[in-house]
Amino acid sequence: MENNNIDFNDLWKKQTVSQPDIQDLLSRVSKFKKASLRSLWTTNCMLFATSAFIIFIWIYYQPKFISTKIGIVLTILAMVLYLFVSNKLFSNYKDIDATQTNQEYLQKLILIKKKQQFLQTYMMRLYFLLLTTGICLYMYEYASRMTALGASLTYGITLLWILFNWFYIRPKQIKKQQTKINALIEKFEEVNSQLA
């Protein structure tokens, strides 16, 4: 007959506990930081170039209607406001360095997440509202010279593109950003709980 006396305490002590790989975690934070900074720089360059192009059109073509000028101002205002708020994240990303404790990393990531959520909700709504209004006002002068069918098609295609961006592209980007930062936050919380 076999001996069924198993010492569970001894087995428990012998089990290997997977220690968190801090270097892997720091590498992931570094990649997140670089990708986020690159994304901010790209956004800055694209919106600055778009604003410069819009101003060039204003100066070169000299629109006649006041609605066109108001549309241009609203469009540029949307871009400037979005850049103003999004550029506040630069300092948060720059402040992440390898000398911080796990708790400091965690606090920085939570702060970045809150700022991203503000940018993704309130600022994006304001941006799309101003941009849509600005584009519609800008197009009025040129649409008024078209046939009713041409103007309807122009506005229809433009508004469909804006709706596609609002309902499809924007949510995908938000989900992608949130997934990245949530994964990092979870890892740091896991590390902190194991070290506690």
Side-chain angles (χ1 to χ4, degrees):
M1 193 155 180
E2 293 181 26
N3 185 2
N4 288 336
N5 295 336
I6 299 173
D7 187 357
F8 287 107
N9 286 333
D10 190 40
L11 284 174
W12 184 259
K13 289 176 187 175
K14 289 180 183 177
Q15 82 176 9
T16 58
V17 178
S18 63
Q19 293 297 320
D21 186 0
I22 299 296
Q23 291 307 318
D24 177 54
L25 196 51
L26 293 177
S27 171
R28 289 169 77 181
V29 169
S30 177
K31 286 179 186 175
F32 171 77
K33 175 182 173 180
K34 287 177 185 175
S36 299
L37 286 171
R38 189 171 37 252
S39 175
L40 277 174
W41 277 110
T42 302
T43 302
N44 273 287
C45 291
M46 288 176 63
L47 291 181
F48 178 76
T50 304
S51 296
F53 180 69
I54 292 170
I55 291 170
F56 167 76
I57 288 173
W58 187 353
I59 293 168
Y60 187 76
Y61 288 105
Q62 293 292 312
K64 306 287 185 257
F65 289 16
I66 190 73
S67 62
T68 310
K69 295 171 185 173
I70 292 171
I72 290 171
V73 170
L74 285 177
T75 303
I76 292 173
L77 179 66
M79 294 180 201
V80 168
L81 284 174
Y82 184 80
L83 285 177
F84 177 74
V85 174
S86 68
N87 284 336
K88 290 185 177 189
L89 283 170
F90 265 119
S91 62
N92 294 107
Y93 291 128
K94 290 274 188 191
D95 289 346
I96 297 174
D97 63 29
T99 61
Q100 294 176 322
T101 65
N102 291 337
Q103 191 62 34
E104 289 172 329
Y105 272 123
L106 184 60
Q107 294 306 315
K108 282 281 184 207
L109 291 172
I110 290 171
L111 179 66
I112 288 170
K113 180 180 177 177
K114 286 179 183 175
K115 288 187 176 187
Q116 276 183 348
Q117 285 174 333
F118 175 76
L119 190 65
Q120 294 162 347
T121 54
Y122 300 110
M123 285 312 299
M124 275 299 221
R125 284 185 200 134
L126 180 63
Y127 174 76
F128 269 88
L129 178 68
L130 288 173
L131 189 68
T132 303
T133 306
I135 289 171
C136 288
L137 287 171
Y138 173 79
M139 290 174 25
Y140 177 72
E141 179 175 344
Y142 307 106
S144 67
R145 299 178 193 157
M146 299 177 185
T147 64
L149 178 63
S152 298
L153 278 173
T154 302
Y155 271 103
I157 291 169
T158 304
L159 292 175
L160 277 174
W161 176 248
I162 291 170
L163 289 172
F164 175 73
N165 277 283
W166 180 257
F167 288 109
Y168 182 73
I169 293 176
R170 184 188 64 89
K172 279 183 75 167
Q173 288 179 328
I174 290 171
K175 186 177 181 183
K176 184 178 174 184
Q177 287 177 341
Q178 287 178 346
T179 301
K180 285 180 185 178
I181 198 157
N182 286 341
L184 286 172
I185 288 172
E186 282 177 25
K187 285 290 182 186
F188 274 104
E189 285 174 341
E190 182 182 312
V191 167
N192 284 344
S193 68
Q194 286 180 359
L195 295 177

